[in-house]
Amino acid sequence: QMLDLAELYQALGGQLDAQYRRLLDAVARFIAAHWHEPDQGLWEMRGPPRHHLHGKLMSWTGMDRAGRLLDAKWSEVAKRIEAEIRAHAAAPENGCLRQAYDGGTDVAVLLAPMLGFALQPQELDRTIANVREALEIGGFLARYKGEDGVCGGEGEFLVCSSWLADAQLAAGQIDEARAVIDKLVDCANDVGLYAEEIDSRNGEFLGNFPQALTHLGLIANAVNLQLVERGGVAAVSGSYADRARRAVGASFGWRGVVAAMIQSSRIARLFSSKQSQLAWP
């Protein structure tokens, strides 16, 4: 995540100084040393460690970004991780992505296209269909299916619907994605906020409230839908940095000023006016 956001920061005009590069290099070295180990997954399963696909995808993401930001040697590690994912992550019977190398269904596999991990159209279509068939409840999505070592049940996680919509946009399922996004918009409470989960039986919010991740997911949906409407499915391909370049252009320095003027169709002040400056007593 750090390396992915560093690439995003640089893509929008930010400068990575020597101190940041040393930090990112330490992160890259950690990933390279540990990516092959099993883990507890994104959802922190209380069982034995497994080779969860999400952990492998994020390790690939880190090495891919480090290869572009820091040193080409990390790209070779990214290639090794990619080869292992392609060899072990897909279900042999239909090619859809699984929760872990040993099976399972997990909504987190839908993050693959937004991370820039290339999938064949049929692989993405089958993965979307499998996730919906196994995890969709009342128009929303559970996080995963299977034992997690925790007693009791839970609601459907709202950010999972955002991940579904993004994957549908990447797959060219535009109308389906728009319907998912519209359903999320309609779930907002009277002041426009969202919780972590929803009870699909009655529409009541559950879990942490307000939940930033839910809001960020919906914001990303709006940006990605606009990109597709303007430039087709290809406009949401690649990494977060690639989409940011297309959607924003730049956020820092003179490039940021020019991009803001183009986006808003307005010529704004480059310096604060006296009226806008806070007057201290």
Side-chain angles (χ1 to χ4, degrees), residues 9-225:
Y9 175 71
Q10 183 168 280
L12 295 179
Q15 299 296 318
L16 299 172
D17 61 23
Q19 180 178 353
Y20 278 115
R21 289 183 176 277
R22 285 195 297 271
L23 173 62
L24 295 173
D25 185 69
V27 175
R29 284 186 278 111
F30 183 90
I31 296 172
H34 297 281
W35 71 265
H36 60 281
E37 299 173 5
D39 57 46
Q40 308 303 136
L42 173 64
W43 311 118
E44 301 169 339
M45 303 293 187
R46 268 67 164 182
R50 300 163 64 201
H51 289 286
H52 286 94
L53 177 58
H54 180 265
K56 298 296 187 285
L57 282 173
M58 294 309 298
S59 296
W60 172 84
T61 299
M63 292 290 89
D64 178 75
R65 289 9 169 210
R68 292 200 289 266
L69 290 171
L70 304 173
D71 193 314
K73 67 181 181 181
W74 301 125
S75 297
E76 295 304 313
V77 183
K79 291 177 182 178
R80 293 202 298 272
I81 300 173
E82 179 181 357
E84 179 164 315
I85 289 173
R86 297 195 186 282
H88 300 290
E93 63 273 15
N94 58 16
C96 68
L97 296 179
R98 301 181 290 185
Q99 179 183 51
Y101 290 175
D102 59 354
T105 306
D106 193 321
V107 74
V109 302
L110 296 180
L111 291 169
M114 290 294 109
L115 293 170
F117 189 88
L119 296 172
Q120 294 297 319
Q122 63 271 22
E123 293 175 321
L124 181 54
D125 288 342
R126 290 168 185 164
T127 298
I128 292 172
N130 181 66
V131 166
R132 294 191 67 181
E133 181 180 355
L135 303 179
E136 192 166 15
I137 304 171
F140 297 96
L141 291 173
R143 295 186 293 172
Y144 50 82
K145 187 175 184 180
E147 292 296 325
D148 59 6
V150 179
C151 298
E154 63 181 21
E156 288 66 61
F157 274 59
L158 289 169
V159 75
C160 296
S161 291
S162 287
W163 296 348
L164 170 62
D166 282 343
Q168 289 172 323
L169 290 173
Q173 301 173 16
I174 314 303
D175 291 339
E176 293 89 338
R178 189 178 286 109
V180 172
I181 296 169
D182 288 343
K183 189 175 183 66
L184 278 172
V185 171
D186 290 341
C187 287
N189 72 356
D190 57 325
V191 291
L193 296 177
Y194 295 85
E196 181 180 33
E197 307 172 41
I198 192 169
D199 187 334
S200 60
R201 297 169 299 178
N202 54 30
E204 291 184 357
F205 282 162
L206 302 169
N208 296 313
F209 177 86
Q211 171 72 321
L213 186 59
T214 305
H215 295 81
L216 288 171
L218 186 54
I219 291 168
N221 290 154
V223 172
N224 292 332
L225 179 59

